[in-house]
Amino acid sequence: MTADDKITLYYSPQTRAAGTRVLLEELGAPYDLHVLNMKAGEQRKPEFLAVNPLGKVPTIGHRGQIVTEQVAIFIYLADLFPQAGLTPALDDVLRGPYLRWIAYYGASFEPAVIDHFMKREPAPVTQSPYADYDTMLGALEQQLAKGPYLLGERMTAADVLWGVAFNWTMMFGVVPRKDVFVRYAERITQRPAFQRVTAADAEMAAQHAAAAGV
Ligand SMILES: N[C@@H](CCC(=O)N[C@@H](CS)C(=O)NCC(=O)O)C(=O)O
């Protein structure tokens, strides 16, 4: 890998970007952080909006290109480091289910969780991208009950995405702390990569709060 190949992760602590950092750690990937102090509103400054017009992290820069959206970032990074064993190969029978459950995160889970959190009525079931909240979560619960990982015995990048997501959504009380979800999230949060990122985030978040005077 050349210097040009190094991944830049636009980052803010204790946000969705933390999941991408955990994945980079799990992959053993070389990366630099471009840190944005969200408490000081740096994600809305023109410099960052020129990189990602939505002002959102995670965003990554790699080989002169920008990749946004967790779903795309997770697939991209895990494929970039196949030797880490976190992505089923193109001809693996698990490739389809792997992509299914990663896409489910962005296409069904996130919209459902945000509607639920905001106490907003979902669109009618035939128009809602996720049917309804209970059905969306029920399908996940059924899949995870087979365990120990989303695809069975094998841990993949999808589990990093989902383990981190269950951790924060249960913390915010937007997903119920069912045993199956708690045990699943712990499989990821007890790993050294998650622990390292969480400890570094606590320190960085405190520095950001002090710098922003909040
Ligand atoms: N659609 C994006 C959403 C990312 C997102 O919502 N990021 C939040 C952090 S948790 C953010 O950057 N918020 C900053 C802001 O909007 O000011 C993805 O899937 O990656």
Side-chain angles (χ1 to χ4, degrees):
M1 214 177 234
T2 66
D4 218 25
D5 274 350
K6 200 146 184 200
I7 296 152
T8 300
L9 171 60
Y10 292 85
Y11 192 77
S12 196
Q14 298 172 343
T15 66
R16 287 171 177 80
T20 297
R21 192 176 181 190
V22 174
L23 178 65
L24 286 163
E25 294 279 327
E26 291 282 3
L27 293 169
Y31 67 94
D32 285 325
L33 291 183
H34 181 120
V35 176
L36 299 162
N37 184 345
M38 285 195 179
K39 294 192 166 83
E42 288 178 1
Q43 77 279 24
R44 304 261 147 234
K45 295 228 168 101
E47 298 79 26
F48 183 59
L49 294 178
V51 176
N52 181 349
L54 304 190
K56 302 277 178 189
V57 296
T59 291
I60 62 167
H62 187 226
R63 295 178 183 155
Q65 305 295 325
I66 292 296
V67 187
T68 69
E69 311 310 315
Q70 289 176 92
V71 167
I73 291 172
F74 269 67
I75 296 169
Y76 179 75
L77 290 177
D79 282 348
L80 209 52
F81 298 92
Q83 65 278 16
L86 291 181
T87 183
L90 290 183
D91 61 352
D92 190 315
V93 292
L94 289 180
R95 180 75 184 179
Y98 168 75
L99 294 176
R100 172 193 177 189
W101 289 110
I102 290 188
Y104 195 87
Y105 175 84
S108 298
F109 181 77
E110 278 249 1
V113 154
I114 297 299
D115 279 350
H116 197 67
F117 180 70
M118 300 297 291
K119 301 190 178 8
R120 278 194 308 237
E121 272 302 305
V125 68
T126 50
Q127 269 99 57
S128 160
Y130 57 86
D132 62 76
Y133 183 80
D134 290 342
T135 306
M136 183 287 300
L137 208 58
L140 261 175
E141 185 177 354
Q142 212 180 355
Q143 182 70 13
L144 290 174
K146 298 179 211 161
Y149 295 106
L150 201 48
L151 302 180
E153 291 302 321
R154 176 170 174 195
M155 177 181 150
T156 67
D159 297 302
V160 179
L161 179 70
W162 279 104
V164 173
F166 271 109
N167 187 53
W168 73 261
T169 51
M170 288 191 296
M171 203 155 33
F172 284 109
V174 68
V175 164
R177 295 188 65 81
K178 289 193 173 189
D179 276 0
V180 58
F181 298 148
V182 172
R183 277 200 309 273
Y184 175 71
E186 280 173 359
R187 282 194 188 97
I188 298 302
T189 60
Q190 286 173 353
R191 293 173 66 86
F194 182 90
Q195 299 283 325
R196 276 198 302 277
V197 170
T198 304
D201 266 13
E203 211 172 297
M204 203 190 284
Q207 285 164 5
H208 283 191
V214 291

